[in-house]
Amino acid sequence: MEEAVTLTDQRLQQIFREAFENDKLVLSDSLSPETLPEWDSLAHVKLMMGCEEEFGVKFSIEETVESTSVAKLKQVLTSKGVGR
């Protein structure tokens, strides 16, 4: 059964596409620096800044360090009330 794509997922996918300058990038929960070689420290900063701007949240250093995959980033965003 296919998972429903939420508005948060759509917004996140756009942030990832902009950060990686790849209009064809498809978001999945397993996406991480291990599965996407372009996900380096600079790209990570772009992602976190893009999320802060798009969702109107601020990340702590701990949250930034913890957000090492799409699934973990979604968990942090959910803890901040995004997507509820």
Side-chain angles (χ1 to χ4, degrees):
M1 190 164 125
E2 195 172 308
E3 234 182 88
V5 176
T6 67
L7 181 58
T8 300
D9 289 339
Q10 291 173 358
R11 293 164 73 187
L12 266 179
Q13 180 160 286
Q14 190 57 40
I15 292 165
F16 270 75
R17 287 179 173 180
E18 289 172 10
F20 292 106
E21 298 175 2
N22 180 347
D23 290 340
K24 300 197 184 330
L25 184 67
V26 177
L27 205 64
S28 72
D29 284 355
S30 63
L31 205 60
S32 71
E34 289 77 33
T35 61
L36 185 64
E38 301 87 1
W39 190 333
D40 58 13
S41 57
L42 180 59
H44 191 74
V45 169
K46 286 181 179 178
L47 287 174
M48 300 309 286
M49 289 176 61
C51 286
E52 285 185 340
E53 186 176 312
E54 177 68 24
F55 297 111
V57 297
K58 288 285 182 202
F59 296 109
S60 68
I61 292 172
E62 293 81 17
E63 290 167 334
T64 300
V65 171
E66 287 171 12
S67 299
T68 55
S69 70
V70 171
K72 290 179 181 177
L73 178 55
K74 285 181 180 180
Q75 287 174 345
V76 172
L77 286 168
T78 299
S79 75
K80 295 184 168 298
V82 174
R84 289 189 202 162

